[in-house]
Amino acid sequence: MSSSQDPLVVFTPSGKRARVPAGTSVLEAARSMGVDLDSVCGGRGICSKCQVQPAFGDHSKHGITASEDALSAFNSVEERYDRVRGLKTGRRLGCQACIQGDIVLDVPPESQVHKQVVRKAATTRHIEMDPATRLYYIEVEPADMHAPTGDWERTQAALAEQWNITGATLTLAMLAKLQTALIAAEYKATVAIHTARDGAAQVIGVWAGFAEPALFGLAVDLGSTTIAAHLTNLVTGEVKASGGVMNPQIRFGEDLMSRVSYAMMNEGGAGEMTRAVREAMNTLAAELVAEADLTTADIYEAVFVMNPVMHHLLLGLDPTPLGQAPFALATNSAMDLPARTIGLTLADEAQVYILPLIAGHVGADAAAVALSEAPQKVDPLTLIVDVGTNAEIILGNKSRVLACSSPTGPAFEGAQISSGQRAAPGAIERVEIDAITKEPRFKVIGCDLWSTDPDFATQTAVSGVSGICGSGIIEAVAEMRMAGLVDANGLIGSAEATGTERLRASGRTYSYLLHDASAEGGAVIEVTQGDIRAIQLAKSALYAGARLLMDEFGADEVERVVLAGAFGAHISPKHAMVLGMIPDCPLEHVTSAGNAAGTGAQIALLNAAARREVEALVHEITKIETAIEPRFQEHFVAANAIPHATAPFSGLRAVVPLPDVDFNAGGGGGRPRRRARR
């Protein structure tokens, strides 16, 4: 039994929190709270699967100040494990570390039983190959004692004569490699030359004679929740490997403003977050080259897209000015810089290109989406929504383009949901509820069968049904609305009012039972009133941002909607519209663009002209600042209803049932009553 005086523990990325008695091991706390923390050895400190990363300091979002003594000191078991096998800096074994005070604990991906499925896959797109890094074969005049010139000077002459490349530079280390290569192959060599934004050419690789070396680049979408990258051949354009990892900065705050707050309130906090994200980038790069049977030394270039806070933290810049008006950026220009200056372990002379930022809260990721989807090149008024913890929203056509960001929070990622989890095998991702019987069926990640299929239990025996991810909770709430289990205000009805025993009392509110495997020791998954409230808040922020752009554009409706991002790609357009995440629009005009930001990064990686295009485009986009716009709150409140309090959504109502029920009378326990039509 815990009391209000017991230590408060918060686990990220799940966001689950509870008070536990002092002296409780981290592993025991995780198990009691339903946190996804692995352990194979039964808590003996042998398997190391239960590693956690404590986050000390001031966490205003969680109401916690975690001191260094919030966990018990390293014990002999941890010391032995660290000595023999090694623990990453700051990590603790959950079975050995005991909770002594308020603490925030991050469960890294490798310690999660249900590993995160980062679904930011590359979108197939025709891209004209014109990379900034290219290979050139040259034949250099041999050394001549009667006309003494250096190897580099004769190489410069060869580049100018044979390839019309002038003014190239190289580092001292590369000069040494050039000297060796020229001697080894009778003054014939292949060089990799990177051309920067200003046209400056630099030799970043040298091989003796004619060579076709592995020449690869990374297109990186550095999100606040996930980091995704595509390992791409810079000669052929082929994507050799794609993958992603959770952004480890989550342990410092789930949303961007929490991380800014952490940097403000903890000396050296920004540096901690910078080190964490750079380490994650190097880990991801190593995983991708291992999959492709390459090495990180084969990566000669990387292109990054990200929001402004991630931008500043990756570069080691102070993010705190982004926490309040006027949201001043250290720089909004595109950047070229050596990879080593931001701690990336790639080829020795690898270069990084960072797309330009649009404004203080609209970053290079939004610019990349605009590059990929090109709303400025089409006639129909198009709304593009990159759904995530911080949503980027673009509205435009050939006449003009507007953009804003909207702080939707982590609910769409499964966080702050009672049975929520990140996308992983076993997580419910699709839901249907029969409008007559009120009975559900669902699909989980890793299995193509519906839960009503006789073979479902067999095919999910390994993963089980572990929780519900973002797309699953969206569909569940929308289906409950269409089945008459939830009214327009988001209130869940009682069993008496709805005619199903799946509605169960939970204090003064009700919950819908989606899955119950408690008899077999499995999970009980419900949709609670708190879950619906979290989704209402997230979707209201999204809709309000879109509505602000429509106001500015002078439009009451849009002709096309594009759902983008890792999460957006898996959202059902119908369910998104039923919730009121997006404005009313013919469902056949709502499409998915996949990871549009990642696609934009890939375009910029493989086409230097596209970099000039996006650098010009950001100056043409009008930025709307939601944080200081008075109408945002008005739109936000109206958007709390499902789908909306005042917008008619007549197109949606023509094709989808939205029962006119009201559970407000008697705290939701009475029978549904007809509401007056507006």
Side-chain angles (χ1 to χ4, degrees):
M1 180 74 68
S2 61
S3 74
S4 60
Q5 304 304 312
D6 289 331
L8 176 63
V9 58
V10 177
F11 283 95
T12 63
S14 68
K16 293 184 176 179
R17 57 192 288 143
R19 292 191 179 276
V20 299
T24 302
S25 76
V26 170
L27 182 59
E28 290 171 339
R31 286 174 171 170
S32 68
M33 295 164 62
V35 172
D36 194 20
L37 181 60
D38 204 354
S39 178
V40 175
C41 69
R44 297 180 178 85
I46 299 171
C47 71
S48 82
K49 299 291 187 182
C50 63
Q51 289 185 36
V52 294
Q53 180 88 36
F56 301 113
D58 196 328
H59 301 270
S60 57
K61 176 181 175 64
H62 302 300
I64 285 177
T65 298
S67 60
E68 295 285 344
D69 60 359
L71 290 181
S72 58
F74 250 57
N75 65 16
S76 58
V77 175
E78 289 177 292
E79 289 172 353
R80 183 182 69 248
Y81 183 88
D82 190 28
R83 184 174 63 253
V84 176
R85 298 178 63 184
L87 277 171
K88 288 186 178 180
T89 303
R91 291 274 182 92
R92 297 294 302 274
L93 295 182
C95 63
Q96 303 299 314
C98 293
I99 297 166
Q100 308 287 9
D102 295 353
I103 187 66
V104 176
L105 296 164
D106 181 57
V107 181
E110 60 268 29
S111 297
Q112 297 171 17
V113 178
H114 303 95
K115 305 297 189 292
Q116 168 82 7
V117 177
V118 179
R119 302 192 284 190
K120 291 192 174 184
T123 302
T124 301
R125 184 71 62 90
H126 173 74
I127 303 172
E128 181 181 347
M129 289 296 296
D130 180 25
T133 299
R134 306 177 75 114
L135 293 173
Y136 298 91
Y137 171 70
I138 52 175
E139 296 183 355
V140 179
E141 287 291 330
D144 184 349
M145 64 183 297
H146 299 294
T149 54
D151 289 341
W152 172 232
E153 287 70 26
R154 297 196 312 281
T155 299
Q156 286 180 302
L159 286 169
E161 180 182 342
Q162 296 166 34
W163 293 103
N164 198 31
I165 296 173
T166 58
T169 62
L170 82 174
T171 63
L172 180 59
M174 200 54 55
L175 177 60
K177 291 186 177 182
L178 175 67
Q179 181 186 38
T180 301
L182 291 177
I183 293 172
E186 298 180 341
Y187 293 95
K188 298 177 179 64
T190 300
V191 295
I193 291 184
H194 174 79
T195 304
R197 302 166 48 236
D198 60 4
Q202 179 181 351
V203 176
I204 61 173
V206 177
W207 298 266
F210 176 77
E212 295 179 293
L215 191 75
F216 282 81
L218 282 177
V220 184
D221 176 10
L222 176 52
S224 53
T225 301
T226 57
I227 307 171
H230 311 300
L231 180 66
T232 306
N233 189 313
L234 294 177
V235 178
T236 66
E238 176 191 6
V239 177
K240 196 71 173 178
S242 293
V245 295
M246 296 293 291
N247 188 330
Q249 293 175 342
I250 286 176
R251 67 177 179 265
F252 303 104
E254 292 170 332
D255 57 79
L256 298 176
M257 287 304 101
S258 293
R259 294 179 206 176
V260 171
S261 175
Y262 185 84
M264 287 179 175
M265 303 182 73
N266 295 277
E267 185 177 356
E272 286 183 76
M273 290 185 280
T274 294
R275 286 190 294 275
V277 76
R278 289 178 178 180
E279 180 181 325
M281 268 308 312
N282 283 323
T283 298
L284 178 55
E287 290 175 355
L288 292 177
V289 295
E291 180 182 336
D293 197 24
L294 299 165
T295 71
T296 52
D298 296 321
I299 301 176
Y300 286 84
E301 189 175 4
V303 169
F304 281 86
V305 302
M306 53 207 153
N307 62 56
V309 173
M310 292 298 96
H311 172 278
H312 280 42
L313 289 173
L314 176 69
L315 296 176
L317 301 171
D318 181 8
T320 57
L322 300 174
Q324 57 188 1
F327 313 111
L329 296 161
T331 178
N332 65 307
S333 299
M335 298 181 71
D336 286 301
L337 64 161
R340 62 177 175 272
T341 63
I342 56 172
L344 299 186
T345 308
L346 309 177
D348 290 344
E349 304 294 336
Q351 301 295 302
V352 166
Y353 174 75
I354 296 175
L355 270 69
L357 307 178
I358 296 175
H361 281 161
V362 183
D365 46 2
V369 170
L371 176 63
S372 172
E373 297 306 306
Q376 72 281 2
K377 296 180 180 179
V378 298
D379 290 317
L381 183 59
T382 301
L383 177 71
I384 305 170
V385 182
D386 193 339
V387 188
T389 305
N390 193 69
E392 280 75 37
I393 308 171
I394 298 172
L395 177 71
N397 57 17
K398 285 182 178 179
S399 65
R400 62 191 297 217
V401 178
L402 313 174
C404 73
S405 68
S406 196
T408 55
F412 287 152
E413 302 282 351
Q416 299 179 349
I417 301 299
S418 60
S419 297
Q421 66 170 83
R422 308 290 181 183
I428 294 174
E429 63 171 344
R430 297 286 316 280
V431 177
E432 289 183 356
I433 298 176
D434 188 286
I436 305 299
T437 66
K438 317 301 183 186
E439 287 297 300
R441 67 173 189 162
F442 54 82
K443 286 185 176 181
V444 300
I445 296 174
C447 179
D448 293 330
L449 302 179
W450 286 99
S451 58
T452 49
D453 191 288
D455 294 328
F456 178 80
T458 301
Q459 293 204 15
T460 58
V462 175
S463 68
V465 180
S466 53
I468 187 165
C469 67
S471 61
I473 192 65
I474 283 176
E475 294 199 8
V477 175
E479 287 283 326
M480 290 172 69
R481 178 72 179 93
M482 290 188 287
L485 304 176
V486 167
D487 67 16
N489 291 318
L491 290 175
I492 302 175
S494 65
E496 178 189 10
T498 60
T500 174
E501 295 303 315
R502 284 191 173 270
L503 270 301
R504 309 193 301 186
S506 179
R508 299 181 64 183
T509 61
Y510 298 89
S511 298
Y512 178 73
L513 181 63
L514 192 58
H515 174 70
D516 185 356
S518 57
E520 299 84 37
V524 176
I525 299 173
E526 296 180 309
V527 179
T528 69
Q529 190 65 65
D531 296 339
I532 291 182
R533 183 58 179 160
I535 291 297
Q536 283 179 285
L537 293 173
K539 73 95 175 181
S540 297
L542 195 64
Y543 184 94
R547 186 65 242 188
L548 274 182
L549 297 188
M550 293 166 67
D551 289 349
E552 183 68 23
F553 205 95
D556 288 324
E557 58 185 31
V558 298
E559 296 168 87
R560 293 176 60 236
V561 176
V562 179
L563 298 172
F567 179 58
H570 293 85
I571 297 175
S572 155
K574 178 181 77 173
H575 293 94
M577 199 172 293
V578 168
L579 275 185
M581 289 173 63
I582 54 178
D584 195 15
C585 177
L587 285 173
E588 63 270 21
H589 295 170
V590 183
T591 59
S592 170
N595 182 20
T599 300
Q602 201 172 17
I603 292 171
L605 176 68
L606 297 177
N607 187 283
R611 303 183 185 187
R612 310 294 84 79
E613 179 183 346
V614 74
E615 289 165 18
L617 178 60
V618 296
H619 295 293
E620 300 171 6
I621 296 175
T622 301
K623 165 67 168 55
I624 306 300
E625 182 52 68
T626 59
I628 59 173
E629 175 53 61
R631 290 171 297 173
F632 181 84
Q633 187 63 25
E634 174 189 336
H635 289 313
F636 180 88
V637 171
N640 263 225
I642 303 175
H644 198 274
T646 56
F649 276 78
S650 53
L652 175 69
R653 290 178 184 274
V655 296
V656 170
L658 293 173
D660 197 9
V661 295
D662 185 350
F663 299 123
N664 193 41
R671 293 188 178 277
R673 54 184 181 141
R674 305 292 293 182
R675 298 193 307 147
R677 295 193 179 275
R678 299 183 186 280

